[in-house]
Each structure stands twice: as structure tokens, then as C-alpha cells.
Amino acid sequence: MNTLPKSSVTSTGHEQHGRYPQAGSVDDFRRNLMQVRQRIADVSLRVGRDPQEVRLLPVSKTFSEPQLRLAYEAGCRQLGENKVQEAYRKWGNLSDLPELRWSVIGHLQTNKAKLVARFASEFQALDSLKLAEALDRRLQAEGRELDVFVQVNTSGESSKYGLAPDEVATFLQQMPHFSALRVRGLMTLALFSSDVPRVRTCFASLRELRDRLRQEIPAGVTLDDLSMGMSGDFEIAIEEGATVVRVGQAIFGARAIPDSHYWPSA
Ligand SMILES: *Cc1c(COP(=O)(O)O)cnc(C)c1O
């Protein structure tokens, strides 16, 4: 007899932004990971979802290679990075760590597609045909394939990257031309705001878009995954159907480098 409301997150954690304590030991990382996983499990169960449906992607941007090694020792086997050159450097310097995979989650310039093609196991910010074409060509040359997410601008902010929601259907129809790209789903960044209903609207609109698109996707494209939610808002995202949450600060600690370095809008 569950009398809890179906969704009940009423505040974002964005006021914590910049205040998370630094993780400086394997134990710190173990504790932070456990806490985040517990929050994922709690919110999933509350809305009747299986916590196993939600993948936690730890986001390690700005943190040093020694810190990434601690995170690895605490169990992280996949790390998300926003900037490809930073990711590529870390990949090279941490290549002694078995089974560590890299997910590039930030905007990519076409001329850097060859770096992603070389080392990434996932790319979450596909937002143009030109980029799809460049990635596919570079992947073919490397003999690799890549899981990709199409980034959608659900907040309507002109400074945010991603396709407009009404461009996604046409875009997906082109994807079968790029045989090295395996489209897995959609990704979005919500409005960065403490206004929960407006944040929730971003996530809900990505899910609704996905549900509509599913009826007309071409062969080879799957839209099972929705990558949405970060430290301040991942619980709202899970309530709205996220299958991947990208969490940095709640695991690694506050970042010294301002987010404007990563998100032109911040
Ligand atoms: C940095 C970043 C995140 C994680 O943000 P946190 O506040 O550290 O959890 C998620 N997604 C993208 C695209 C990012 O650049």
C-alpha cells in the first residue's frame, strides 16, 4: 500500500552547487558512490522503477588523474568528460587501468571527431549531420563503432547545444547512413534552475519526444536510453524516466573551474 505521491521531489540540489566536499581518498569515493546509488535506488523504487534501469555515469571533468585513479579503485569503470582534449589526455595517462571506458558528454567540434573515434566508448552530444558524418568516417578508419546519444535542447535557451525537439525526427532518419554510429537514445541538460516544475518540464519533454519518435525510428536506431540529470537534479530526472544520470560533483566534490568553461550559458 503505497500512499506516497508518484513524484515528490520538490527542490533541486542546485543550491549545493560548488559546495560539495572534495573526495580525497578511496573511502571518500566509496561513500559518495554509495550515497548516490542509494538516492538512485530510493527515487526509483518510489516511482515504481527498477533501480537497475538507471546507469550512474560519474563525471570526472576538471579532476586530476590521481583523483580519477582513486575513483577507479572505488569501483568506477566508466567516466564522463565534457571536453574531448581533456578526456583524450586522461585516457592516455590512465591506459594502465583495465576496463576503464570513456564517455564524451560535451559539444564536439567536427575537427576533433578523430580523437573521439580513437578512444571513446560513448558520445552523448551528437547534434549535427556534419558531426555524424565526420565521426562515422573516422570510426570506419579506426575499425570501431560508437554508442551515441542525440543531444536535444529541451530548455529552449539559445546558448544550449542540441537539436531543437522538432528537428530530431528528420535527423534520426539520416542515421542509417552512418553504420559506425549506434544510436542508443537522447540526452539533454535541463534548465539550470531551482524552479523544480521548469526543470521537470525539460526532462518530461525529452521522454515524451522519445515516446513519439519511437513509432517512426529507422532500423538500427534504438531510443531506449534517456541521459538526463546531474548532481543537482538527477532525482527529478529519474522520476521522469532517465536511464543514465551524469553525476560529477556529488561524487568528486565541487569543481574549482567555473561551469561557464563547459557550458557557455552558465
Ligand atoms: C559537468 C556535467 C555534468 C555533471 O554535473 P555535476 O553538477 O558535476 O553533477 C553532467 N552533464 C554534462 C554535460 C556536464 O558537462
Side-chain angles (χ1 to χ4, degrees):
M1 251 185 297
N2 191 345
T3 53
L4 288 171
K6 192 163 178 299
S7 59
S8 68
V9 173
T10 53
S11 69
T12 64
H14 288 320
E15 68 286 349
Q16 267 279 106
H17 201 81
R19 297 208 196 119
Y20 295 89
Q22 294 301 306
S25 67
V26 178
D27 279 344
D28 287 347
F29 278 104
R30 286 210 180 99
R31 188 199 54 234
N32 292 350
L33 285 163
M34 220 170 63
Q35 286 173 354
V36 171
R37 290 207 176 98
Q38 187 62 52
R39 287 168 60 189
I40 291 172
D42 289 346
V43 67
S44 299
L45 295 173
R46 185 159 48 67
V47 295
R49 298 187 58 197
D50 177 355
Q52 306 284 349
E53 287 173 15
V54 183
R55 165 160 61 105
L56 170 60
L57 174 62
V59 175
S60 51
K61 69 188 191 202
T62 78
F63 293 99
S64 69
E65 287 156 14
Q67 283 167 300
L68 271 57
R69 286 181 184 277
L70 297 176
Y72 179 88
E73 216 178 307
C76 295
R77 291 296 177 272
Q78 187 172 30
L79 294 173
E81 289 278 338
N82 184 299
K83 287 199 183 282
V84 67
Q85 273 145 323
E86 180 180 342
Y88 188 68
R89 167 176 58 76
K90 289 173 172 173
W91 166 74
N93 292 337
L94 299 175
S95 59
D96 58 306
L97 301 178
E99 290 171 31
L100 179 56
R101 302 187 314 135
W102 297 88
S103 178
V104 175
I105 61 175
H107 180 71
L108 183 68
Q109 288 172 310
T110 309
N111 63 7
K112 293 183 187 128
K114 70 166 178 288
L115 290 184
V116 166
R118 207 169 286 163
F119 79 98
S121 70
E122 180 176 272
F123 175 59
Q124 294 204 358
L126 185 62
D127 61 359
S128 78
L129 284 176
K130 218 173 101 201
L131 180 58
E133 199 273 324
L135 275 171
D136 189 64
R137 187 159 39 83
R138 297 295 186 171
L139 286 159
Q140 305 279 0
E142 300 275 345
R144 299 184 76 233
E145 293 187 354
L146 186 66
D147 288 340
V148 297
F149 290 61
V150 176
Q151 184 171 354
V152 182
N153 181 345
T154 53
S155 68
E157 295 163 287
S158 60
S159 52
K160 285 246 167 79
Y161 291 113
L163 296 175
D166 64 3
E167 295 172 330
V168 181
T170 313
F171 184 81
L172 290 177
Q173 294 303 325
Q174 303 302 311
M175 288 301 105
H177 296 305
F178 309 116
S179 59
L181 303 181
R182 294 182 298 231
V183 178
R184 298 301 196 200
L186 307 177
M187 178 274 224
T188 201
L189 278 161
L191 197 70
F192 190 82
S193 165
S194 56
D195 184 339
V196 173
R198 293 182 69 203
V199 171
R200 186 182 296 287
T201 297
C202 295
F203 295 141
S205 73
L206 193 72
R207 186 196 62 233
E208 286 157 12
L209 175 66
R210 189 275 308 273
D211 292 348
R212 280 198 305 278
L213 293 170
R214 260 192 173 155
Q215 293 152 22
E216 44 172 314
I217 48 173
V221 170
T222 60
L223 293 180
D224 294 337
D225 279 312
L226 292 177
S227 175
M228 52 190 200
M230 47 192 224
S231 292
D233 58 18
F234 71 81
E235 283 148 319
I236 305 169
I238 291 170
E239 288 182 340
E240 297 302 329
T243 67
V244 181
V245 291
R246 310 175 307 266
V247 178
Q249 298 183 82
I251 296 171
F252 283 84
R255 283 183 293 272
I257 298 173
D259 283 331
S260 54
H261 180 65
Y262 290 91
W263 308 320
S265 57

